[in-house]
Amino acid sequence: MREMTTADGSITFFNEQYDEPYHSLTGAVEEAFGKYAIPCRASEYAKSGKVRILDVCFGLGYNSAAALDMIWEENPDCFVEVTALENDEAILRKVLEVNPRIDSYCIIKNSVAGIMDKYSYSEPRLLLKIIIGDAREEIKKLDWKFDLIFHDPFSPKKCPELWTEEFFRDERRLISDQGILATFSCARMVRDNLARSGFIVKDGPSIGRKAPSTLASPNFLNQEKIS
Ligand SMILES: C[S@@+](CC[C@H](N)C(=O)[O-])C[C@H]1O[C@@H](n2cnc3c(N)ncnc32)[C@H](O)[C@@H]1O
């Protein structure tokens, strides 16, 4: 696994098996905030006092860490539950080597270091659980609802198994009525599979490139008031 520096100065790695980096080279931390935490409206959810996040393909955990920053900036007392799916312990070990400019990243490090329990970390305002295994199998074992889903596998070309209608149906089953799913891809096949799974789909922000990212929700209409 080769280390790379992205354009915003944050570190990512290159995965030889998938022949792809873990993040956009235009900025790994910029992507975590710009394509995930901000468009998912993590700060809005924080106002309700509790936010539940499903982080699909946790990797270095930048997306969850960015969301924690936004949530606690808005409401320092907000309780956050993060459930993360990841099948490769090698990338989790890399968490201990990087220091992105995300205030909450120390919590991700603590969790991965197994300070409390292996890959499970709790403190009064956070429960973070990293489930190691194939996301396609592990997601079927979950049976509670999430407000935010970060869908961040390798690209549809390189990792098509995590962009199928079946996988999105599992995410649709788990998302709350007003929840938001964010993903970097705007591929037609991805959006069609999301729509077939019962999501309403719209453009997310274009960060670092012309093409937009994608946001999906069972119901965007009710999202002005989250409480
Ligand atoms: C683009 S990277 C995710 C980057 C991550 N969200 C972050 O903030 O660092 C994709 C991740 O998906 C994981 N992955 C690939 N196939 C998987 C599978 N079937 N189940 C679970 N994780 C998988 C890889 O190990 C890799 O960490």
Side-chain angles (χ1 to χ4, degrees):
M1 213 178 279
R2 176 163 48 93
E3 185 178 306
M4 302 177 88
T5 303
T6 69
D8 67 1
S10 56
I11 298 296
T12 190
F13 293 89
F14 188 86
N15 185 296
E16 278 80 17
Q17 185 195 340
Y18 286 91
D19 194 30
E20 249 178 33
Y22 284 79
H23 298 91
S24 162
L25 297 182
T26 62
V29 167
E30 179 190 63
E31 181 176 44
F33 282 99
K35 291 186 193 158
Y36 292 93
I38 293 172
C40 266
R41 305 170 84 229
S43 331
E44 280 302 308
Y45 282 94
K47 293 176 184 166
S48 73
K50 183 173 180 185
V51 183
R52 299 152 301 179
I53 299 172
L54 177 62
D55 189 342
V56 177
C57 294
F58 183 78
L60 294 171
Y62 287 0
N63 298 340
S64 283
L68 291 176
D69 270 15
M70 293 201 54
I71 289 166
W72 288 332
E73 189 185 343
E74 175 64 38
N75 177 2
D77 297 324
C78 186
F79 183 71
V80 189
E81 270 178 29
V82 179
T83 302
L85 306 180
E86 173 57 56
N87 70 349
D88 184 7
E89 295 197 59
I91 188 65
L92 293 176
R93 283 193 292 275
K94 294 288 181 192
V95 164
L96 305 176
E97 296 177 16
V98 295
N99 293 295
R101 288 184 177 211
I102 308 176
D103 290 344
S104 305
Y105 202 68
C106 53
I107 290 174
I108 304 293
K109 285 188 177 233
N110 285 349
S111 170
V112 169
I115 279 178
M116 303 293 284
D117 186 12
K118 204 173 184 223
Y119 300 131
S120 169
Y121 178 90
S122 66
E123 59 170 61
R125 57 183 187 163
L126 176 70
L127 179 61
L128 190 161
K129 190 163 190 218
I130 304 174
I131 300 170
I132 309 293
D134 190 327
R136 290 169 296 177
E137 290 160 24
E138 298 303 329
I139 199 168
K140 294 200 185 296
K141 300 176 191 164
L142 304 179
D143 66 353
W144 58 94
K145 296 284 182 188
F146 296 92
D147 304 304
L148 313 181
I149 298 183
F150 301 148
H151 185 89
D152 193 15
F154 289 114
S155 69
K157 249 189 205 159
K158 299 285 170 68
C159 189
E161 63 273 20
L162 293 181
W163 301 89
T164 60
E165 182 179 338
E166 181 184 355
F167 194 80
F168 287 136
R169 277 192 189 282
D170 282 318
E171 292 182 330
R172 174 65 184 84
R173 176 177 60 79
L174 294 172
I175 199 162
S176 65
D177 285 348
Q178 295 178 36
I180 304 182
L181 176 151
T183 189
F184 67 87
S185 174
C186 67
R188 168 50 63 98
M189 175 276 282
V190 168
R191 291 186 168 192
D192 286 350
N193 282 346
L194 279 164
R196 276 196 284 266
S197 312
F199 284 100
I200 297 167
V201 177
K202 68 179 191 183
D203 281 350
S206 315
I207 303 286
R209 57 177 194 166
K210 278 196 194 129
S213 54
T214 296
L215 298 174
S217 172
N219 179 7
F220 278 114
L221 293 177
N222 291 340
Q223 280 174 14
E224 295 320 311
K225 193 164 169 280
I226 298 165
S227 59

